Amino acid sequence: MKALMFGWEFPPHILGGLGTASYGLTKGMWECGDMDITFVIPKPFGDEDKSFAKIIGASQTPIVWKDVTYDYVESRIGKLMDPHEYFRLRDHIYADFNYMLTNDLGCIEFSGKYLDNLLEEINNYSIVAGVIARTEEFDVIHSHDWLTYPAGIHAKQVTGKPLVIHVHATDYDRSRGNVNPTVFNIERDGMIHADHIITVSNLTRKTVIEKYGIDPAKVTTVHNAVVPLSQELLDIKAPKPKEKVVTFLGRITMQKGPEYFVEAAAKVLKNNHNVRFVMAGSGDMMDKMITLAAERGIADRFHFPGFQKGKQVYEMLSASDVYVMPSVSEPFGISPLEAMQMGVPSIISKQSGCAEILDNVIKTDYWDIDAMADAINSICTNDALYQQLKEDGLKEVAQITWDKAGKKVIDIYNKVLGR
């Protein structure tokens, strides 16, 4: 079976959980066998793993015909795309886009990030999707998250192939209910045009059905998973301070509930000074959290190392004794699973999708800073509890694999294809 996937991130260049999930699912589906996947992203960097999926960059896909030679194309984008692929795509330009701003190869430049012109990039991406869909051979279209729904819809319209959309989050999660109407309309348009909708948790499935008015029969939950860690990452031994280390690792935004982490930290430190707290990440609430830590008089026990990526994430986890994810509304949340893989006991909010499948963690309401503080203190002071959560967590997370999720997605493909 052949699938055309549209995504926005792909490792090693990721800005959040979307890229990690897209990578894991794609690889898991490939491991199931008989899957040929073409994965489209706005801007590849050339170092993506192409062993299980063909990567096409929207930024290397021409939408305006340019009279260029093979050698020139190779000199310009040879590290990112086979020149033959460029010319094959060029043969399927379907309209006059000379009015658009393109480069010397007739391609639109993409940042591949989440900048102020994001809506413009989403629209441009959908235009490029038309060229790609007319060029590639595939059975089904799969769009990851709202940024790629317009691209999936366009691909469906020009080919008649079924569309599956993957809801990794909704604007209700990102905004705590203060929904952006433009984003909501893009999300709902994708859901209406989709032949089937995959959600990463039952929590998200409920939101899709209740908030977007979608038929429950059209929505299936496929929980996320984790990629087994390499021995290199498992062997990381980061230097540990004498004190216990409690870590928050993620975007420092309203959705992730960072203020509850700071407040719980303040409660722990009232009675236990043998603890250090780390808030690793970046986001629009970072300055507020630095200020809040200072106001609570715990700035000397609090660290803000900034955005962590790749190996840095696992070095951070290796140095941690407790991992906390106090998300207000978390569609799934892969990070606790990654912490468990490194043998770090985790505390997660009951308002997270991963709480539906994890047993060997401590779960609290995101707002219950007393319960969160008690859980942190218990793990830091009770060696037996620490060891139990560590050992049982390792066993549990080893069973949560992407090939199992991939099999469920392939079954959904077969369903929409009538097989």
Side-chain angles (χ1 to χ4, degrees), residues 72 166 171 201 219 235 245 284 327 361 372 388 395:
Y72 184 72
H166 209 126
D171 209 46
S201 63
V219 192
D235 289 342
V245 176
D284 59 8
S327 296
V361 295
M372 199 182 302
Q388 181 187 348
K395 293 175 186 175

Side-chain angles (χ1 to χ4, degrees), residues 301-319:
R301 315 298 294 173
F302 228 98
H303 304 268
F304 294 88
F307 182 75
Q308 307 290 298
K309 63 180 180 178
K311 192 176 179 182
Q312 292 175 318
V313 170
Y314 296 96
E315 290 172 345
M316 181 70 65
L317 292 173
S318 176

Side-chain angles (χ1 to χ4, degrees), residues 202-337:
N202 292 323
L203 186 74
T204 307
R205 182 176 184 268
K206 182 179 179 182
T207 300
V208 167
I209 293 166
E210 295 182 357
K211 301 294 187 182
Y212 295 82
I214 303 300
D215 180 357
K218 191 178 175 178
V219 192
T220 301
T221 294
V222 178
H223 289 103
N224 286 336
V226 279
V227 175
L229 296 183
S230 66
Q231 197 59 46
E232 178 191 4
L233 294 177
L234 289 171
D235 289 342
I236 287 175
K237 293 292 183 286
K240 280 191 175 185
K242 294 178 181 178
E243 303 96 334
K244 299 292 184 179
V245 176
V246 181
T247 300
F248 169 110
L249 180 65
R251 295 196 317 278
I252 306 177
T253 61
M254 186 167 55
Q255 179 190 353
K256 303 296 181 178
E259 67 270 38
Y260 301 104
F261 181 71
V262 177
E263 296 289 8
K267 285 186 173 290
V268 171
L269 290 167
K270 279 184 179 179
N271 302 308
N272 185 351
H273 299 288
N274 190 39
V275 187
R276 287 191 178 275
F277 289 84
V278 178
M279 182 169 283
S282 59
D284 59 8
M285 288 184 68
M286 185 168 182
D287 289 345
K288 289 181 181 178
M289 294 305 101
I290 294 172
T291 300
L292 182 60
E295 289 174 349
R296 295 293 179 267
I298 59 172
D300 61 327
R301 315 298 294 173
F302 228 98
H303 304 268
F304 294 88
F307 182 75
Q308 307 290 298
K309 63 180 180 178
K311 192 176 179 182
Q312 292 175 318
V313 170
Y314 296 96
E315 290 172 345
M316 181 70 65
L317 292 173
S318 176
S320 302
D321 297 283
V322 184
Y323 180 78
V324 182
M325 187 182 75
S327 296
V328 174
S329 180
E330 186 70 53
F332 186 78
I334 290 177
S335 58
L337 281 71

